[in-house]
Amino acid sequence: MKVLVINAGSSSLKYQLLDTDSQAVLAKGLCERIGIDGKFTYKAPGKATVDAVDIAMPTHSEAIQAVLDALVDPANGVIASMKEIDAVGHRVVHGGETFASSVKIDSKVMAALEECIPLAPLHNPANITGIKACTAVMGPDVPQVAVFDTAFHQTMPPVAYTYALPYEYYEQDKVRRYGFHGTSHKYVTQRAADMLGKPIESLKLISCHLGNGSSIAAVAGAKSVDTSMGFTPLAGLPMGTRSGDLDAGILEYLMNKHGMDIKEMLNILNKKSGVQGVSGVSSDFRDLGSAAEQGNGRAALALGMFSYGVKKYIGAYAAAMGGVDAIIFTAGVGENDADQRMAIASGLEYMGVKMDPDANNVRGKEAIISAIDSKVKVLLIPTNEELMIALDTAALV
Ligand code: ADP
């Protein structure tokens, strides 16, 4: 089946056309600066790459049209006509408590997606715009599926998702831990079971998605039982520019001291904190590594805080599940940063984690990086959210 995977942002739209039988990426690219001056990229194996600026893209509909035009282009396209696209899979950030799995989109689902907007006011409207644009350009007969970042975590028990606030804030206002990166955690835990040759239902896994945004999930018997992100993706680990968890009392103290309103405060917590804020150098772990090597103490502190934070979650989630069979590293830092992986795993020997330094000297491909006699396996698994979205979409249509 050929599935077009769409990840729509407010002014951008990432796309991939995948063949779910061969799992091959037929073409992929990015529409950027939608509503501004339109930038379009397209890549397909063996075809000329398109990298165009000043493309008329006043709305997401023209962006989808540009994607379809490129896919059927006689010279560089990969399909003869739009009819070859069997279905469209959309990444949707927030499904609230309504969606515990992916869903085929109809008018009822669209109404429920609209209801989830208050939970993700920056992301869900863009995702909905992407769905409407596909309907407008491709017609109502091409099946579309929504795949949610939050859905995989809907299996968490109340003790893990409830905040210790007055209970009516949960009942009336839906304030609870939702968790994100669910598509990634689901994909890598399924791959881990394949790599270990064991049924996923029998495994206790800790999935570490460490990128610009980072989250950790405890997955027991194929179900997410806890995760580090919360009501929003600001919670949990320190990230590239996000603070992660902190004492809520700090907000009032800093806002009073510096005369900031809540918008300014949240801008600092989301965009100026994390390893960027601590180091003052960069949000990129490569820059931090070079700076630390040259003796920059704050860069070293930021890196140390990050690995310490991940290590604490691993300990906590092993306790939550009553053990762990494998720890998975994925996303930009998890897939590429051997030093971080080593720093995180060192000191966990007491719980049966023994790394193989040679095996750990690897980037961006599936590998077992623990020693042969390590009781707990440590796996590197590149994430593939687009493939997961395409497979869910194919299964539903
Ligand atoms: P996003 O959350 O935006 O999807 P990614 O998962 O792509 O992020 O991760 C991006 C981050 O991965 C970069 O900011 C950088 O910190 C890190 N990264 C990428 N390559 C390397 C590398 N070779 N070594 C260390 N860190 C890397």
Side-chain angles (χ1 to χ4, degrees):
M1 192 178 273
K2 290 193 178 93
V3 177
L4 180 62
V5 174
I6 299 288
N7 181 352
S10 57
S11 69
S12 70
L13 185 148
K14 273 193 217 158
Y15 66 93
Q16 270 194 22
L17 183 67
L18 285 117
D19 182 330
T20 53
D21 301 314
S22 65
Q23 304 201 346
V25 177
L26 304 177
K28 64 176 178 181
L30 181 61
C31 306
E32 288 172 284
R33 301 177 65 80
I34 298 170
I36 311 168
D37 51 6
K39 190 169 177 294
F40 179 78
T41 58
Y42 169 87
K43 270 187 197 159
K47 308 278 180 176
T49 296
V50 180
D51 202 344
V53 287
D54 288 328
I55 303 293
M57 258 185 230
T59 72
H60 286 65
S61 291
E62 290 81 13
I64 295 283
Q65 190 61 58
V67 172
L68 296 174
D69 290 347
L71 292 173
V72 302
D73 180 67
N76 292 309
V78 289
I79 50 176
S81 91
M82 204 197 79
K83 290 198 176 65
E84 284 184 45
I85 300 174
D86 297 296
V88 183
H90 293 269
R91 175 195 184 213
V92 179
V93 169
H94 218 305
E97 288 191 323
T98 314
F99 298 105
S101 59
S102 304
V103 63
K104 212 171 146 187
I105 297 169
D106 58 18
S107 55
K108 265 195 193 151
V109 169
M110 285 305 278
L113 290 179
E114 302 267 356
E115 277 174 25
C116 291
I117 288 179
L119 295 172
L122 297 180
H123 293 103
N124 272 31
N127 302 151
I128 292 169
T129 305
I131 296 168
K132 286 183 177 163
C134 282
T135 312
V137 176
M138 302 175 79
D141 294 334
V142 180
Q144 300 189 59
V145 167
V147 180
F148 303 92
D149 276 15
T150 50
F152 183 59
H153 300 300
Q154 277 297 304
T155 46
M156 284 188 290
V159 289
Y161 72 65
T162 309
Y163 286 117
L165 291 168
Y167 199 66
E168 55 266 29
Y169 292 133
Y170 168 57
E171 289 182 310
Q172 288 162 22
D173 303 314
K174 301 181 178 171
V175 173
R176 52 159 284 176
R177 181 187 305 281
Y178 289 100
F180 298 87
H181 291 143
T183 310
S184 174
H185 290 301
K186 182 176 169 189
Y187 175 77
V188 298
T189 49
Q190 285 183 355
R191 286 298 309 145
D194 289 346
M195 284 171 75
L196 297 170
K198 294 200 173 138
I200 189 161
E201 291 73 23
S202 71
L203 292 170
K204 292 171 180 167
L205 302 166
I206 296 176
S207 168
C208 305
H209 178 113
L210 312 178
N212 213 356
S214 295
S215 75
I216 310 204
V219 180
K223 293 193 168 104
S224 172
V225 294
D226 206 346
T227 192
S228 60
M229 282 179 171
F231 179 66
T232 74
L234 178 56
L237 291 164
M239 311 185 205
T241 63
R242 283 174 244 167
S243 65
D245 286 344
L246 46 77
D247 176 350
I250 295 169
L251 272 63
E252 186 203 20
Y253 178 77
L254 284 180
M255 285 163 70
N256 283 343
K257 199 142 196 259
H258 296 285
M260 286 187 284
D261 61 19
I262 190 70
K263 234 177 140 187
E264 291 169 294
M265 188 72 244
L266 278 171
N267 188 47
I268 289 174
L269 297 182
N270 274 303
K271 305 226 167 104
K272 298 187 173 165
S273 299
V275 294
Q276 159 83 64
V278 172
S279 69
V281 171
S282 171
S283 63
D284 192 303
F285 280 62
R286 288 162 288 200
D287 301 336
L288 294 175
S290 327
E293 261 175 37
Q294 285 159 25
N296 185 312
R298 275 169 53 187
L301 172 64
L303 290 171
M305 285 169 61
F306 186 79
S307 56
Y308 177 70
V310 178
K311 196 194 299 268
K312 282 210 296 189
Y313 269 106
I314 291 174
Y317 287 169
M321 294 190 289
V324 53
D325 296 300
I327 298 167
I328 305 159
F329 287 107
T330 193
V333 177
E335 291 168 28
N336 294 297
D337 196 331
D339 292 340
Q340 269 297 327
R341 292 194 299 259
M342 210 53 160
I344 292 162
S346 73
L348 296 180
E349 292 80 6
Y350 76 92
M351 58 184 268
V353 176
K354 189 170 161 195
M355 290 288 276
D356 176 339
D358 292 332
N360 183 43
N361 192 12
V362 63
R363 279 180 53 183
K365 59 174 190 200
E366 287 187 359
I368 297 181
I369 58 176
S370 48
I372 289 178
D373 58 345
S374 182
K375 189 164 86 56
V376 176
K377 304 293 171 218
V378 185
L379 309 175
L380 193 171
I381 304 180
T383 194
N384 195 340
E385 288 160 287
E386 290 79 10
L387 176 59
M388 192 75 249
I389 292 171
L391 292 174
D392 265 13
T393 302
L396 277 167
V397 305

